[in-house]
Coordinates of all heavy atoms in Angstrom, one line a residue:
M1 N 185.5 2.1 182.4 CA 185.2 1.0 181.4 C 186.3 1.0 180.4 O 186.7 2.0 179.9 CB 183.9 1.3 180.8 CG 183.5 0.4 179.7 SD 182.0 0.7 178.8 CE 180.8 0.9 180.1
S2 N 186.8 -0.2 180.1 CA 187.9 -0.3 179.2 C 187.3 -0.2 177.7 O 186.1 -0.3 177.5 CB 188.6 -1.7 179.3 OG 187.7 -2.7 178.9
D3 N 188.2 0.1 176.8 CA 187.8 0.2 175.4 C 187.2 -1.1 174.9 O 186.3 -1.1 174.2 CB 189.0 0.6 174.5 CG 189.3 2.1 174.5 OD1 188.5 2.8 175.1 OD2 190.2 2.5 173.8
S4 N 187.8 -2.2 175.4 CA 187.3 -3.5 175.0 C 185.9 -3.7 175.5 O 185.0 -4.2 174.7 CB 188.2 -4.6 175.5 OG 187.7 -5.9 175.2
D5 N 185.6 -3.4 176.7 CA 184.3 -3.5 177.3 C 183.3 -2.6 176.5 O 182.2 -3.0 176.2 CB 184.2 -3.2 178.8 CG 185.0 -4.2 179.6 OD1 185.2 -5.4 179.1 OD2 185.3 -3.9 180.8
A6 N 183.7 -1.4 176.3 CA 182.8 -0.5 175.6 C 182.5 -1.0 174.2 O 181.4 -0.9 173.7 CB 183.5 0.9 175.5
R7 N 183.6 -1.5 173.5 CA 183.3 -2.0 172.1 C 182.4 -3.2 172.1 O 181.5 -3.3 171.3 CB 184.6 -2.4 171.5 CG 185.5 -1.2 171.1 CD 186.8 -1.7 170.3 NE 187.7 -0.6 170.3 CZ 187.7 0.4 169.4 NH1 186.7 0.5 168.6 NH2 188.7 1.3 169.4
T8 N 182.5 -4.0 173.1 CA 181.6 -5.2 173.3 C 180.2 -4.7 173.5 O 179.2 -5.2 172.9 CB 182.1 -6.1 174.4 OG1 183.4 -6.6 174.1 CG2 181.1 -7.3 174.6
M9 N 180.0 -3.7 174.4 CA 178.7 -3.2 174.7 C 178.1 -2.5 173.4 O 176.9 -2.7 173.1 CB 178.7 -2.2 175.8 CG 178.9 -2.8 177.2 SD 178.9 -1.6 178.5 CE 177.2 -1.1 178.5
I10 N 178.9 -1.8 172.7 CA 178.4 -1.1 171.5 C 178.0 -2.2 170.5 O 176.9 -2.0 169.8 CB 179.5 -0.2 170.9 CG1 179.6 1.0 171.8 CG2 179.2 0.2 169.5 CD1 180.8 1.9 171.5
K11 N 178.8 -3.2 170.3 CA 178.4 -4.3 169.4 C 177.1 -5.0 169.8 O 176.2 -5.2 168.9 CB 179.6 -5.3 169.3 CG 179.3 -6.4 168.3 CD 180.4 -7.4 168.3 CE 180.0 -8.6 167.3 NZ 180.9 -9.7 167.5
E12 N 177.0 -5.3 171.0 CA 175.8 -6.0 171.5 C 174.5 -5.1 171.4 O 173.5 -5.6 170.9 CB 176.0 -6.4 173.0 CG 176.9 -7.6 173.1 CD 177.2 -7.9 174.6 OE1 176.7 -7.2 175.5 OE2 178.0 -8.8 174.8
L13 N 174.7 -3.8 171.7 CA 173.5 -2.9 171.6 C 173.1 -2.7 170.1 O 172.0 -2.7 169.8 CB 173.9 -1.5 172.2 CG 173.5 -1.3 173.6 CD1 174.1 0.0 174.1 CD2 172.0 -1.4 173.9
T14 N 174.1 -2.6 169.3 CA 173.9 -2.5 167.8 C 173.1 -3.7 167.3 O 172.2 -3.6 166.5 CB 175.2 -2.3 167.1 OG1 175.8 -1.1 167.6 CG2 175.0 -2.1 165.6
E15 N 173.5 -4.9 167.7 CA 172.8 -6.1 167.3 C 171.4 -6.2 167.9 O 170.5 -6.5 167.1 CB 173.6 -7.3 167.8 CG 174.9 -7.5 167.0 CD 175.8 -8.6 167.6 OE1 175.5 -9.2 168.6 OE2 176.9 -8.9 167.0
E16 N 171.2 -5.8 169.1 CA 169.9 -5.8 169.7 C 169.0 -4.8 169.0 O 167.8 -5.1 168.8 CB 170.0 -5.4 171.2 CG 170.6 -6.5 172.1 CD 170.8 -6.0 173.5 OE1 170.1 -5.1 174.0 OE2 171.6 -6.6 174.2
I17 N 169.5 -3.6 168.6 CA 168.8 -2.6 167.9 C 168.3 -3.1 166.6 O 167.2 -2.9 166.1 CB 169.5 -1.3 167.8 CG1 169.6 -0.6 169.2 CG2 169.0 -0.3 166.8 CD1 170.6 0.5 169.3
A18 N 169.2 -3.8 165.9 CA 168.9 -4.3 164.5 C 167.8 -5.4 164.6 O 166.9 -5.4 163.8 CB 170.2 -4.9 163.9
L19 N 167.9 -6.2 165.6 CA 166.9 -7.3 165.8 C 165.5 -6.6 166.2 O 164.5 -7.0 165.6 CB 167.3 -8.2 166.9 CG 166.4 -9.4 167.2 CD1 166.3 -10.3 165.9 CD2 167.0 -10.3 168.3
A20 N 165.6 -5.7 167.1 CA 164.3 -5.0 167.5 C 163.7 -4.2 166.3 O 162.5 -4.3 166.2 CB 164.6 -4.1 168.7
T21 N 164.5 -3.6 165.5 CA 164.0 -2.9 164.4 C 163.3 -3.8 163.4 O 162.3 -3.5 162.9 CB 165.2 -2.1 163.7 OG1 165.8 -1.2 164.6 CG2 164.7 -1.3 162.5
S22 N 164.0 -4.9 163.1 CA 163.4 -5.9 162.2 C 162.0 -6.4 162.7 O 161.0 -6.5 162.0 CB 164.3 -7.1 162.0 OG 163.8 -8.1 161.2
G23 N 162.0 -6.8 164.0 CA 160.7 -7.2 164.6 C 159.6 -6.2 164.6 O 158.5 -6.5 164.3
L24 N 160.0 -5.0 164.9 CA 159.0 -3.9 164.9 C 158.5 -3.6 163.5 O 157.3 -3.4 163.3 CB 159.6 -2.6 165.5 CG 159.5 -2.5 167.0 CD1 160.2 -1.3 167.5 CD2 158.0 -2.4 167.4
G25 N 159.4 -3.6 162.6 CA 159.0 -3.4 161.2 C 157.9 -4.4 160.7 O 156.9 -4.1 160.1
G26 N 158.2 -5.7 161.1 CA 157.2 -6.8 160.7 C 155.9 -6.6 161.5 O 154.9 -6.8 160.9
A27 N 156.0 -6.2 162.7 CA 154.8 -6.0 163.5 C 153.9 -4.9 162.9 O 152.7 -4.9 162.8 CB 155.1 -5.8 165.0
M28 N 154.6 -3.8 162.6 CA 153.9 -2.6 162.0 C 153.3 -2.9 160.7 O 152.2 -2.5 160.4 CB 154.9 -1.4 161.9 CG 155.3 -0.9 163.2 SD 156.5 0.4 163.0 CE 156.7 1.0 164.7
M29 N 154.0 -3.7 159.9 CA 153.4 -4.1 158.6 C 152.2 -5.0 158.8 O 151.2 -4.9 158.1 CB 154.4 -4.7 157.7 CG 155.6 -3.8 157.2 SD 155.0 -2.4 156.2 CE 154.5 -3.3 154.8
G30 N 152.3 -5.9 159.8 CA 151.3 -6.9 160.1 C 150.0 -6.2 160.6 O 148.9 -6.5 160.1
I31 N 150.2 -5.2 161.5 CA 149.0 -4.6 162.0 C 148.4 -3.7 161.0 O 147.2 -3.6 160.9 CB 149.4 -3.8 163.3 CG1 148.1 -3.4 164.1 CG2 150.1 -2.5 163.0 CD1 148.3 -2.9 165.5
A32 N 149.2 -3.1 160.1 CA 148.6 -2.3 159.0 C 147.8 -3.1 158.1 O 146.7 -2.7 157.7 CB 149.8 -1.6 158.3
D33 N 148.3 -4.3 157.8 CA 147.5 -5.2 157.0 C 146.2 -5.7 157.6 O 145.2 -5.7 157.0 CB 148.4 -6.5 156.6 CG 147.9 -7.1 155.3 OD1 147.6 -6.4 154.4 OD2 147.9 -8.4 155.3
S34 N 146.3 -5.9 158.9 CA 145.1 -6.3 159.7 C 144.1 -5.2 159.7 O 142.9 -5.4 159.5 CB 145.4 -6.7 161.1 OG 146.2 -7.9 161.1
Y35 N 144.5 -3.9 159.9 CA 143.6 -2.8 159.8 C 143.0 -2.6 158.4 O 141.8 -2.3 158.3 CB 144.3 -1.5 160.2 CG 144.3 -1.3 161.7 CD1 145.4 -1.2 162.4 CD2 143.1 -1.1 162.4 CE1 145.4 -0.9 163.8 CE2 143.1 -0.8 163.8 CZ 144.2 -0.8 164.5 OH 144.2 -0.5 165.8
M36 N 143.8 -2.9 157.4 CA 143.2 -2.8 156.0 C 142.2 -3.8 155.8 O 141.1 -3.6 155.2 CB 144.3 -2.9 155.0 CG 145.2 -1.6 154.9 SD 146.5 -1.8 153.6 CE 145.5 -2.0 152.2
E37 N 142.4 -5.0 156.3 CA 141.4 -6.1 156.2 C 140.2 -5.8 156.9 O 139.1 -6.0 156.4 CB 142.0 -7.4 156.7 CG 143.1 -8.0 155.9 CD 142.5 -8.6 154.6 OE1 141.3 -8.5 154.3 OE2 143.3 -9.1 153.8
L38 N 140.3 -5.3 158.2 CA 139.2 -5.0 159.0 C 138.3 -3.8 158.4 O 137.1 -3.8 158.4 CB 139.6 -4.6 160.4 CG 138.5 -4.4 161.4 CD1 137.6 -5.7 161.5 CD2 139.0 -4.1 162.8
A39 N 139.0 -2.9 157.8 CA 138.3 -1.7 157.2 C 137.6 -2.1 155.9 O 136.4 -1.8 155.7 CB 139.3 -0.6 157.0
Y40 N 138.4 -2.7 155.0 CA 137.9 -2.8 153.6 C 138.0 -4.2 153.1 O 137.6 -4.4 151.9 CB 138.6 -1.8 152.7 CG 138.5 -0.4 153.1 CD1 139.6 0.2 153.6 CD2 137.2 0.2 153.1 CE1 139.5 1.6 154.0 CE2 137.1 1.6 153.5 CZ 138.3 2.2 154.0 OH 138.2 3.5 154.4
G41 N 138.6 -5.1 153.8 CA 138.9 -6.4 153.2 C 139.9 -6.4 152.1 O 139.9 -7.2 151.2
A42 N 140.8 -5.4 152.2 CA 141.7 -5.1 151.1 C 143.2 -5.4 151.4 O 144.0 -5.1 150.7 CB 141.6 -3.6 150.8
G43 N 143.5 -6.1 152.5 CA 144.8 -6.5 152.7 C 145.2 -7.9 152.1 O 144.6 -8.2 151.1
R44 N 146.0 -8.6 152.7 CA 146.4 -9.9 152.1 C 145.4 -11.0 152.4 O 145.2 -11.9 151.7 CB 147.8 -10.3 152.7 CG 148.9 -9.4 152.2 CD 150.2 -9.9 152.5 NE 151.2 -9.0 152.0 CZ 152.1 -8.4 152.7 NH1 152.2 -8.6 154.0 NH2 153.0 -7.5 152.2
G45 N 144.7 -10.9 153.6 CA 143.6 -11.8 153.8 C 143.9 -13.2 154.1 O 143.0 -14.0 154.0
Y46 N 145.1 -13.6 154.4 CA 145.4 -15.0 154.6 C 145.9 -15.2 156.0 O 146.3 -14.3 156.7 CB 146.5 -15.4 153.6 CG 146.1 -15.2 152.2 CD1 146.7 -14.1 151.5 CD2 145.2 -16.0 151.6 CE1 146.3 -13.9 150.2 CE2 144.8 -15.7 150.3 CZ 145.4 -14.7 149.6 OH 145.0 -14.4 148.3
G47 N 145.8 -16.4 156.5 CA 146.4 -16.8 157.8 C 145.8 -15.9 158.9 O 144.6 -15.8 159.1
V48 N 146.7 -15.3 159.6 CA 146.3 -14.5 160.8 C 145.4 -13.3 160.4 O 144.6 -12.9 161.2 CB 147.5 -14.0 161.5 CG1 148.3 -12.9 160.7 CG2 147.2 -13.4 162.9
H49 N 145.4 -12.8 159.2 CA 144.6 -11.7 158.8 C 143.2 -12.1 158.3 O 142.3 -11.3 158.2 CB 145.3 -10.9 157.7 CG 146.6 -10.5 158.1 ND1 146.9 -9.5 159.0 CD2 147.8 -10.9 157.6 CE1 148.2 -9.4 159.2 NE2 148.8 -10.2 158.3
S50 N 142.9 -13.4 158.1 CA 141.6 -13.8 157.5 C 140.4 -13.4 158.4 O 139.4 -13.1 157.8 CB 141.7 -15.3 157.2 OG 141.8 -16.0 158.4
Q51 N 140.6 -13.5 159.7 CA 139.4 -13.1 160.5 C 139.0 -11.7 160.3 O 137.8 -11.3 160.5 CB 139.7 -13.4 162.0 CG 140.8 -12.5 162.6 CD 141.1 -12.8 164.1 OE1 140.2 -13.3 164.8 NE2 142.3 -12.5 164.5
Y52 N 140.0 -10.8 160.0 CA 139.6 -9.4 159.8 C 138.9 -9.2 158.4 O 138.0 -8.5 158.3 CB 140.9 -8.5 159.9 CG 141.6 -8.7 161.2 CD1 142.8 -9.4 161.3 CD2 141.0 -8.1 162.3 CE1 143.4 -9.6 162.5 CE2 141.7 -8.3 163.6 CZ 142.8 -9.0 163.7 OH 143.4 -9.2 164.9
R53 N 139.4 -10.0 157.4 CA 138.7 -9.9 156.1 C 137.3 -10.4 156.2 O 136.4 -9.8 155.7 CB 139.5 -10.7 155.1 CG 138.7 -10.8 153.7 CD 139.6 -11.4 152.7 NE 140.6 -10.4 152.3 CZ 141.1 -10.3 151.1 NH1 140.7 -11.1 150.1 NH2 142.0 -9.4 150.8
E54 N 137.1 -11.5 156.9 CA 135.8 -12.1 157.0 C 134.8 -11.2 157.8 O 133.6 -11.3 157.7 CB 135.9 -13.4 157.7 CG 136.6 -14.5 156.9 CD 137.1 -15.7 157.7 OE1 136.7 -15.7 159.0 OE2 137.7 -16.5 157.2
N55 N 135.3 -10.3 158.6 CA 134.5 -9.4 159.4 C 134.7 -7.9 159.2 O 134.4 -7.1 160.0 CB 134.8 -9.7 160.9 CG 134.4 -11.1 161.3 OD1 133.3 -11.4 161.4 ND2 135.4 -11.9 161.5
N56 N 135.1 -7.6 157.9 CA 135.3 -6.2 157.6 C 134.1 -5.3 157.8 O 133.0 -5.8 157.8 CB 136.0 -6.0 156.3 CG 135.1 -6.3 155.1 OD1 134.2 -5.5 154.9 ND2 135.4 -7.3 154.4
L57 N 134.3 -4.0 157.8 CA 133.2 -3.1 158.0 C 132.1 -3.3 157.0 O 130.9 -3.0 157.4 CB 133.7 -1.6 157.9 CG 134.7 -1.2 159.0 CD1 135.2 0.2 158.7 CD2 134.0 -1.2 160.3
N58 N 132.3 -3.6 155.8 CA 131.3 -3.8 154.8 C 130.4 -5.0 155.0 O 129.3 -5.1 154.4 CB 131.9 -3.8 153.4 CG 132.6 -2.5 153.1 OD1 132.1 -1.4 153.4 ND2 133.8 -2.6 152.5
T59 N 130.8 -5.9 155.9 CA 129.9 -7.1 156.1 C 128.8 -6.9 157.1 O 127.9 -7.6 157.1 CB 130.8 -8.3 156.6 OG1 131.2 -7.9 158.0 CG2 131.9 -8.6 155.7
G60 N 128.9 -5.8 157.8 CA 127.9 -5.5 158.8 C 128.0 -6.3 160.1 O 127.2 -6.2 161.0
K61 N 129.1 -7.1 160.2 CA 129.3 -7.9 161.4 C 130.0 -7.1 162.4 O 130.6 -6.1 162.1 CB 130.2 -9.1 161.0 CG 129.6 -10.1 160.1 CD 130.6 -11.2 159.8 CE 130.0 -12.2 158.8 NZ 131.0 -13.3 158.4
P62 N 129.8 -7.4 163.7 CA 130.5 -6.7 164.8 C 132.0 -6.6 164.6 O 132.6 -7.6 164.3 CB 130.1 -7.4 166.1 CG 128.9 -8.3 165.7 CD 129.1 -8.6 164.2
V63 N 132.6 -5.5 164.8 CA 134.0 -5.3 164.7 C 134.7 -4.8 165.9 O 135.9 -4.8 166.0 CB 134.4 -4.4 163.5 CG1 133.9 -5.0 162.2 CG2 133.8 -3.0 163.7
S64 N 134.0 -4.5 167.0 CA 134.6 -3.9 168.2 C 135.6 -4.8 168.8 O 136.6 -4.4 169.3 CB 133.5 -3.4 169.2 OG 132.8 -4.5 169.7
D65 N 135.3 -6.1 168.9 CA 136.3 -7.1 169.6 C 137.6 -7.1 168.8 O 138.6 -7.1 169.3 CB 135.7 -8.5 169.7 CG 134.6 -8.6 170.8 OD1 134.6 -7.6 171.6 OD2 133.9 -9.6 170.8
L66 N 137.4 -7.1 167.4 CA 138.6 -7.2 166.6 C 139.4 -5.9 166.7 O 140.6 -5.9 166.8 CB 138.3 -7.5 165.2 CG 137.7 -8.9 164.9 CD1 137.2 -9.1 163.5 CD2 138.8 -10.0 165.3
A67 N 138.7 -4.8 166.7 CA 139.3 -3.5 166.9 C 140.1 -3.4 168.2 O 141.2 -2.8 168.3 CB 138.3 -2.3 166.7
H68 N 139.4 -3.9 169.3 CA 140.1 -3.9 170.6 C 141.3 -4.8 170.6 O 142.4 -4.4 171.2 CB 139.1 -4.5 171.6 CG 139.6 -4.5 173.0 ND1 139.8 -3.3 173.7 CD2 140.0 -5.5 173.8 CE1 140.3 -3.6 174.9 NE2 140.4 -4.9 175.0
E69 N 141.3 -5.9 169.9 CA 142.4 -6.8 169.7 C 143.6 -6.1 169.0 O 144.7 -6.1 169.5 CB 142.0 -8.0 168.9 CG 143.1 -9.1 168.7 CD 142.5 -10.2 167.9 OE1 141.6 -10.9 168.4 OE2 143.0 -10.4 166.8
L70 N 143.3 -5.3 168.0 CA 144.3 -4.6 167.3 C 144.8 -3.4 168.1 O 146.0 -3.1 168.0 CB 143.7 -4.0 165.9 CG 143.5 -5.1 164.9 CD1 142.8 -4.5 163.7 CD2 144.7 -5.8 164.5
A71 N 144.0 -2.8 169.0 CA 144.5 -1.8 169.9 C 145.5 -2.3 170.9 O 146.5 -1.7 171.2 CB 143.3 -1.1 170.6
A72 N 145.2 -3.5 171.3 CA 146.2 -4.2 172.3 C 147.5 -4.5 171.6 O 148.6 -4.3 172.1 CB 145.6 -5.5 172.8
W73 N 147.4 -4.9 170.3 CA 148.6 -5.1 169.5 C 149.4 -3.8 169.3 O 150.6 -3.8 169.4 CB 148.2 -5.8 168.2 CG 149.3 -6.3 167.3 CD1 150.6 -6.4 167.6 CD2 149.1 -6.8 166.0 NE1 151.3 -6.9 166.6 CE2 150.4 -7.2 165.6 CE3 148.1 -7.0 165.2 CZ2 150.7 -7.7 164.3 CZ3 148.3 -7.6 163.9 CH2 149.6 -7.9 163.5
A74 N 148.6 -2.8 169.1 CA 149.3 -1.4 168.9 C 150.0 -1.0 170.2 O 151.1 -0.4 170.1 CB 148.2 -0.4 168.5
A75 N 149.4 -1.3 171.3 CA 150.0 -1.0 172.6 C 151.3 -1.8 172.8 O 152.3 -1.2 173.3 CB 149.0 -1.3 173.8
E76 N 151.3 -3.0 172.4 CA 152.6 -3.8 172.4 C 153.6 -3.2 171.5 O 154.8 -3.1 171.9 CB 152.3 -5.2 172.0 CG 151.6 -6.1 172.9 CD 151.4 -7.5 172.4 OE1 152.3 -8.0 171.7 OE2 150.3 -8.0 172.6
I77 N 153.2 -2.8 170.3 CA 154.2 -2.1 169.4 C 154.7 -0.8 170.0 O 155.9 -0.5 169.9 CB 153.5 -1.9 168.0 CG1 153.3 -3.2 167.3 CG2 154.3 -0.9 167.2 CD1 152.4 -3.1 166.0
N78 N 153.8 -0.1 170.7 CA 154.3 1.1 171.3 C 155.3 0.9 172.4 O 156.3 1.6 172.5 CB 153.1 1.9 171.9 CG 153.4 3.2 172.5 OD1 154.2 4.0 172.0 ND2 153.0 3.4 173.7
A79 N 155.1 -0.1 173.2 CA 156.0 -0.5 174.3 C 157.4 -0.9 173.7 O 158.4 -0.5 174.2 CB 155.4 -1.6 175.2
K80 N 157.3 -1.7 172.7 CA 158.6 -2.2 172.0 C 159.3 -1.0 171.4 O 160.5 -0.9 171.3 CB 158.3 -3.3 171.1 CG 157.9 -4.6 171.8 CD 157.6 -5.7 170.8 CE 157.2 -6.9 171.6 NZ 156.9 -8.1 170.7
S81 N 158.5 -0.1 170.8 CA 159.1 1.1 170.2 C 159.8 2.0 171.3 O 160.9 2.5 171.0 CB 158.1 2.0 169.5 OG 157.5 1.3 168.4
A82 N 159.2 2.1 172.4 CA 159.8 2.9 173.5 C 161.1 2.2 174.0 O 162.1 2.9 174.2 CB 158.9 3.0 174.7
A83 N 161.1 0.9 174.0 CA 162.3 0.2 174.4 C 163.4 0.3 173.4 O 164.6 0.5 173.7 CB 162.0 -1.3 174.6
L84 N 163.0 0.3 172.1 CA 164.0 0.6 171.0 C 164.6 2.0 171.1 O 165.8 2.2 171.0 CB 163.4 0.4 169.7 CG 164.2 0.7 168.4 CD1 165.5 -0.2 168.4 CD2 163.4 0.5 167.2
D85 N 163.7 3.0 171.4 CA 164.2 4.3 171.5 C 165.2 4.4 172.7 O 166.3 5.1 172.5 CB 163.1 5.3 171.8 CG 162.2 5.5 170.5 OD1 162.6 5.1 169.4 OD2 161.0 6.0 170.7
A86 N 164.9 3.8 173.8 CA 165.8 3.8 174.9 C 167.2 3.1 174.6 O 168.2 3.7 175.0 CB 165.2 3.1 176.1
K87 N 167.2 2.0 173.8 CA 168.4 1.4 173.5 C 169.2 2.3 172.5 O 170.5 2.4 172.6 CB 168.2 0.0 172.8 CG 167.8 -1.0 173.8 CD 167.6 -2.4 173.1 CE 167.1 -3.4 174.1 NZ 167.0 -4.7 173.6
R88 N 168.5 2.9 171.6 CA 169.2 3.9 170.7 C 169.9 5.0 171.4 O 171.0 5.4 171.1 CB 168.3 4.4 169.6 CG 167.9 3.4 168.6 CD 166.9 3.9 167.6 NE 166.8 3.0 166.5 CZ 165.8 3.1 165.6 NH1 164.9 4.0 165.7 NH2 165.7 2.2 164.6
E89 N 169.2 5.5 172.4 CA 169.7 6.6 173.2 C 170.9 6.1 174.0 O 171.9 6.8 174.2 CB 168.6 7.2 174.1 CG 169.1 8.4 175.0 CD 169.5 9.6 174.2 OE1 169.1 9.8 173.0 OE2 170.4 10.3 174.7
M90 N 170.8 4.9 174.6 CA 171.9 4.4 175.4 C 173.1 4.2 174.5 O 174.3 4.5 174.9 CB 171.5 3.0 175.9 CG 172.5 2.4 176.9 SD 172.1 0.8 177.5 CE 170.3 0.9 177.8
L91 N 172.9 3.7 173.3 CA 174.0 3.5 172.3 C 174.7 4.9 172.0 O 175.9 5.0 172.0 CB 173.6 2.8 171.1 CG 174.6 2.6 170.0 CD1 175.7 1.7 170.5 CD2 173.9 1.9 168.8
K92 N 173.9 5.9 171.7 CA 174.3 7.2 171.4 C 175.2 7.8 172.5 O 176.3 8.3 172.3 CB 173.2 8.1 171.1 CG 173.5 9.5 170.8 CD 172.2 10.3 170.5 CE 172.5 11.8 170.4 NZ 171.3 12.6 170.2
R93 N 174.7 7.6 173.8 CA 175.4 8.1 174.9 C 176.7 7.4 175.2 O 177.8 7.9 175.5 CB 174.6 8.1 176.2 CG 173.5 9.1 176.1 CD 172.6 9.0 177.3 NE 171.5 9.9 177.2 CZ 170.8 10.5 178.2 NH1 171.2 10.2 179.5 NH2 169.8 11.3 178.0
L94 N 176.7 6.1 175.0 CA 177.9 5.2 175.1 C 179.0 5.6 174.1 O 180.1 5.8 174.5 CB 177.5 3.8 175.0 CG 178.7 2.7 175.2 CD1 179.3 2.9 176.5 CD2 178.1 1.3 174.9
K95 N 178.5 5.8 172.9 CA 179.5 6.2 171.9 C 180.1 7.6 172.2 O 181.3 7.8 172.0 CB 178.8 6.3 170.5 CG 178.6 4.9 169.9 CD 177.9 5.0 168.5 CE 177.8 3.6 167.9 NZ 177.2 3.8 166.5
A96 N 179.3 8.5 172.6 CA 179.7 9.9 172.9 C 180.7 9.8 174.1 O 181.7 10.5 174.2 CB 178.5 10.8 173.2
A97 N 180.4 9.0 175.1 CA 181.2 9.0 176.4 C 182.5 8.3 176.1 O 183.5 8.7 176.8 CB 180.4 8.2 177.4
T98 N 182.6 7.4 175.2 CA 183.8 6.7 175.0 C 184.6 7.2 173.8 O 185.8 6.8 173.6 CB 183.5 5.2 174.8 OG1 182.7 5.0 173.6 CG2 182.9 4.5 176.0
G99 N 183.9 7.9 172.9 CA 184.6 8.4 171.7 C 184.7 7.3 170.7 O 185.5 7.4 169.7
L100 N 184.0 6.2 170.9 CA 184.1 5.0 170.0 C 182.9 5.1 169.0 O 181.8 5.5 169.4 CB 184.1 3.7 170.7 CG 185.3 3.5 171.7 CD1 185.0 2.3 172.5 CD2 186.6 3.4 170.9
A101 N 183.1 4.6 167.8 CA 182.0 4.5 166.9 C 181.6 3.1 166.5 O 182.3 2.2 166.7 CB 182.3 5.3 165.6

């Protein structure tokens, strides 16, 4: 692999990692807010989170479907986190193999 190709791959991976990190951060903050709403009605409570506030534990309404929905969301976050970890490892190995930073 030429230095030019390696630099291009490093740049592309770095950009992909930054984008994935941003997306995951937002998803993690969103799911945390949803769990706070579902538990206590204490999150932001607007838009996508309003259904959790309206059905929080203190209302006595059923919460298992919403908890299941959040568990599926957590599984998506987990899969995306694993993909991010793999990209970071690939970048680390590429940099080590080429001596480029």
Side-chain angles (χ1 to χ4, degrees):
M1 173 184 309
S2 72
D3 276 358
S4 177
D5 291 341
R7 288 183 195 282
T8 299
M9 286 181 68
I10 288 170
K11 180 182 177 195
E12 288 174 358
L13 271 173
T14 301
E15 290 171 357
E16 288 175 21
I17 289 168
L19 183 61
T21 300
S22 176
L24 271 172
M28 289 175 178
M29 294 297 292
I31 198 170
D33 204 40
S34 292
Y35 273 118
M36 287 182 59
E37 288 291 2
L38 187 57
Y40 305 110
R44 294 191 180 121
Y46 305 105
V48 70
H49 306 291
S50 63
Q51 67 179 333
Y52 302 105
R53 174 171 285 214
E54 295 164 1
N55 296 287
N56 73 67
L57 291 174
N58 297 319
T59 66
K61 295 178 182 177
V63 295
S64 63
D65 285 346
L66 293 172
H68 183 71
E69 183 180 294
L70 290 174
W73 190 4
E76 286 180 39
I77 290 171
N78 182 47
K80 290 179 181 181
S81 295
L84 175 61
D85 291 345
K87 285 182 181 186
R88 286 178 171 166
E89 182 62 27
M90 187 185 319
L91 179 61
K92 180 181 171 183
R93 290 178 185 207
L94 180 60
K95 286 180 174 181
T98 61
L100 300 171

